[in-house]
Amino acid sequence: MKKLLVLPGDGIGPEIVAEALKVLDKVKDTFNLAVSVDEALLGGAAIDATGNPLPAETLDKAMSADALLMGAVGGPKWDHLETSKRPEKGLLGLRSSLNLFANLRPAILYPQLASASTLKPEVVSDLDILIVRELTGGIYFGEPRGIRTLDNGERQGYNTYVYSESEIRRIGRVAFEAARKRGGRVCSVDKSNVLEVTVLWREIMEEIGKEYPKIELEHMYVDNAAMQLVRAPRQFDVMVTGNMFGDILSDCAAMLTGSIGMLPSASLDAHNKGLYEPVHGSAPDIAGQGVANPLATILSLAMLLRYSFAEAEVADVIEQAVSKVLDEGLRTADIWSEGLQKVSTQAMGDAVAAAI
Ligand code: IPM
Ligand code: MG
């Protein structure tokens, strides 16, 4: 029996997770999967109930689970809290405690949605990029950090951007291994014209590149990478980068596909245990209205089955079901356009479950 822990979180989180669980129930019945489902509090929901964005009970359950499915965390209700007490801290604590260092963020354009992109169809058609983002190091976790008061009375904010060789090496390997199963190309993104930490990053990527002579390795400065993503995104296969650059570039890549509401992600440790979540946030402005797009969460469930539960065929079936409902013209508001059928969060979940 595989143990799944569900973390609905905040905003639209509970609604979209509910639809993914509908799909899970359907595949459990259809394919006789032995999966137990437990639930825990994370983020703002956990702050409201316990005062802590990552309660001990949640962390215990997370440690013993085989995989985690998350909705989203955060919202204006908790924006006044200091950084160390915010909902996001719960998610960051979970990533770090579980050693989920490898964040895989595919940006795939569904042909049915080519017109939903803000870029011209000829620029984005057939887009298939995998962003491999380092997730437990870099400036997100570097010490020292804080806000201090200088001798002259002025306050100063500071963070530390650090990467050790071993951290760079293990994320580099994930990227090269992924490239081996895809297009055979890795683009490593850094800012080595300015930041020493990424001079080391580039050096280690070069070293790993020598272990993979068949993979083509290219380096790109992050500012150029952002520009190339909107200029000619199809030049990329696998992009590998640090925590903060990866955060920014993955939002950018997501939008190329028309809707951030479509994109799943996986955050893996060294043994394929993972936390799966949509790339989008908690969208508090539309929470509770039944209009959120549940497809990114449903596709995150597919990734979970593929990577953590070794059920690649079931994952394929879910991905095909999503494609089928798009073919049928069903769209949530974020991807809807004239002539297509606008459906609610729940109706979209029902349709995917029915297509299985
Ligand atoms: C993401 C989010 C998180 C991050 C936030 C919610 C802490 O933006 O997963 O991309 O910055 O990593
Ligand atoms: Mg982000």
Side-chain angles (χ1 to χ4, degrees), residues 1-7 17 20-21 24-25 28 34-40 61 67 69 301 309:
M1 176 78 82
K2 296 275 194 212
K3 283 161 76 175
L4 171 66
L5 181 66
V6 174
L7 305 156
V17 162
L21 291 179
L24 177 64
D25 278 338
K28 274 172 69 178
V35 177
S36 71
V37 179
D38 196 1
E39 199 175 302
K61 285 183 176 182
L69 182 67
L301 173 69
F309 290 177

Side-chain angles (χ1 to χ4, degrees), residues 208-346:
I208 306 172
K210 301 218 169 70
E211 296 169 26
Y212 293 85
K214 291 203 185 111
I215 306 288
E216 194 183 304
L217 170 65
E218 174 194 20
H219 303 278
M220 206 178 269
Y221 297 141
V222 62
D223 48 351
N224 185 26
M227 182 178 75
Q228 296 301 334
L229 267 177
V230 288
R231 192 189 73 91
R234 280 183 305 184
Q235 70 185 282
F236 297 111
D237 177 23
V238 175
M239 299 177 92
V240 62
T241 189
N243 208 339
M244 185 167 66
F245 296 163
D247 178 47
I248 298 166
L249 293 180
S250 61
D251 265 33
C252 180
M255 204 54 223
L256 302 175
T257 68
S259 168
I260 197 168
M262 292 298 298
L263 298 181
S265 77
S267 305
L268 304 174
D269 74 1
H271 313 284
N272 290 332
K273 173 168 173 168
L275 176 134
Y276 299 81
E277 55 174 310
V279 169
H280 63 70
S282 60
D285 53 319
I286 57 162
Q289 298 173 22
V291 298
N293 185 347
L295 294 178
T297 315
I298 292 170
L299 292 166
S300 296
L301 173 69
M303 282 187 101
L304 183 152
L305 289 159
R306 184 182 309 281
Y307 292 105
S308 289
F309 290 177
E311 295 285 357
E313 280 164 35
V314 183
D316 287 344
V317 168
I318 294 176
E319 285 162 2
Q320 282 154 16
V322 167
S323 216
K324 191 162 159 219
V325 301
L326 292 176
D327 281 340
E328 286 163 0
L330 273 62
R331 301 284 189 277
T332 43
D334 57 315
I335 50 177
W336 177 83
S337 57
E338 212 52 57
L340 296 163
Q341 190 188 342
K342 197 186 277 182
V343 298
S344 68
T345 310
Q346 291 73 23

